[in-house]
Amino acid sequence: MDRPRQTSVSNNGTSGARAGTALADELRAVVGERNLLTSPSRMRRYVRGYRFGAGHASAVALPGTLVELWRTVSLCIKHGAVVVMQAANTGLTGGSTPFGDDYDRDVVVVGTLRLRSLLLLDGGRQVLAFPGTTLDTLEKALKPLGREPHSVIGSSCLGASVMGGVCNNSGGSLIRRGPAYTEQALFARVTQDGRLELVNHLDVSLGTTPIEILERLDRGDVPPDAVGHPAGRRASDGEYGEYVRDVNADTPARFNADPRRLFEASGSAGRLIVFAVRLDTFEAERDTRVFYLGTNDPGELTELRREMLASPMPLPIAAEYMHRDAFRIAERYGKDTFLLVRRLGTARLPALFSWKSRFDSFAERIPFLPRNLSDRLLQAASHLFPSHLPPRLTAFRDRFEHHLMIKVSGEGAMALAKLLADRYRNPQTDHFECTAKEGSAAFLHRFATAGAAIRYDAVQGRRSGGVVALDIALPRNERDWTERLPSEIEGEIVHKLYYGHFFCHVFHQDYLLREGADWHAVKGRMLALLDTRRARYPAEHNVGHLYKADPVLERHYRSLDPCNCLNPGIGRTSKLLRWRKAAATPAL
């Protein structure tokens, strides 16, 4: 059933109900008939989160140029509509879709994946990324130059956008580079009096008016002499390499509400309309080697982490952890993801996600077909293929509860090989150096884990109680990083999946609940338990509509968007115009 049409007063006094048709007509004139979606079936993939959340939208607009994006948002603000910006919609907390149907204004989702351009600056040492630029696209553009973007593993496998990483302070797996961060961005904000204004902090001379600036970027008209390099304006988190080494600090290395990394576009989470971000790129890692470590004693991994971070030896490139239970669930329910990425690469994944959403939308209209039919078919198809993991990985699965894969290069590889040979070969702990094929498979298997819990829940259907998915950051000095749950919580869980970025002490924890479990109650008890462990959450996927924003983060959102017009409601904040509080529901 469609939700009741809401009537509300927008910024300019126009009724939301009357403005809907007029707004749609004006948006259609900007983006074209094909790129304005208003039917539920066509909007489906844009109003449902990848893992969490769904809501109502009046329309989805898909601008094809930065000028069209400016005009689209201008019309939405003129008509008093909420704007929800969306790139690849690969986030895990529902922060890039509407949530529910209790907004006081029409909601327009603005998809940006048509805005895929990027401009390389200074011989590729920096990049101007547009709203729809994906990590995969940037990675390929930089590869001939011997350079890499901030993140090259994990998110790029899901087709995520560069800008989404910046706006959500995403951390990724690369230890030396920290969270995605820049102080140089071109963005629009809605002022206190309801005007849309463009702010150019790119330190690139592009003109004076919004249309002039955006047209030049659309044309790629950025000559070298237009690019400034002011002192003190950073385009990456250059301090993180030293920050993560402080293993005696009682605070996490990174988390979304860290005030150190909340600055304009960075950490804005849709509270600004960001047109371009300027980011550093990095010299590509060469001669990399992967070591795979298994143990039944988590203390062994604790001591290895502390020794490697506190010593003068070079930081590893990445150090990814998996618990054996996560290994097994991903082996079964992430197999098709592994095979698709291995055989087709990452560039085709957005198109596959789009096809999957359209197929499910069609199947849901046929009453006798099960929900999540595409997931069921893909899962069944995965069983037709032989085992996809190398034998040495599956042998360690059977021997060891805890798994750690460490990627290193240069002098770090020699130092790590010696350290492991001297200390980590005993009945409780063993290791081996991966071949190129084994190393690639180990990391790809680790990153297929994120979707495995979703697949399990989809295939189990009514037999599943849902997925509680948490990403947490533990203090850098925490030695007891494994989790022990009280019996009343254990009884609600069928499977626990623990995996994460071990040296950063950032963990993903997915709990597959039994049929009939109270999802909200389990999640509440989990968060209370994390509070006693001094954990900060979320660590890198931002609050979305899953978590409550802490006071620091809410103040940041209010300062960026005083009208509460852009992505309202995230962090469980007000969805109402100018941050009004919703009226309490009378008791029955």
Side-chain angles (χ1 to χ4, degrees), residues 77-145:
I77 299 306
K78 169 188 168 185
H79 284 277
V82 162
V83 176
V84 176
M85 294 290 289
Q86 183 183 106
N89 193 15
T90 58
L92 304 184
T93 60
S96 58
T97 65
F99 188 73
D101 62 357
D102 55 341
Y103 296 86
D104 60 340
R105 295 151 285 171
D106 285 329
V107 177
V108 176
V109 177
V110 180
T112 63
L113 282 186
R114 296 178 66 207
L115 306 173
R116 294 176 175 269
S117 298
L118 60 89
L119 300 174
L120 299 178
L121 306 178
D122 215 6
R125 292 179 179 84
Q126 288 190 321
V127 62
L128 287 184
F130 288 10
T133 306
T134 63
L135 283 166
D136 179 80
T137 300
L138 179 54
E139 189 175 341
K140 289 177 178 176
L142 292 173
K143 189 172 183 178
L145 304 176

Side-chain angles (χ1 to χ4, degrees), residues 359-381:
F359 178 85
D360 283 336
S361 178
F362 168 78
E364 286 174 359
R365 297 198 291 269
I366 302 176
F368 60 84
L369 291 179
R371 294 189 62 190
N372 304 308
L373 180 59
S374 65
D375 286 286
R376 295 170 185 268
L377 292 173
L378 287 167
Q379 185 62 29

Side-chain angles (χ1 to χ4, degrees), residues 61 118 139 145 156 188 205 323 335 421 440 512 581:
L118 60 89
E139 189 175 341
L145 304 176
S156 55
S205 299
H323 187 274
K335 183 176 181 180
S440 173
L512 303 172
K581 293 184 178 179

Side-chain angles (χ1 to χ4, degrees), residues 195-221:
R195 294 180 299 105
L196 187 69
E197 68 175 12
L198 190 69
V199 178
N200 182 6
H201 285 170
L202 287 173
D203 296 308
V204 179
S205 299
L206 295 167
T208 55
T209 69
I211 298 301
E212 179 186 8
I213 291 169
L214 298 173
E215 281 183 340
R216 285 190 61 177
L217 285 178
D218 279 328
R219 295 194 306 268
D221 181 13

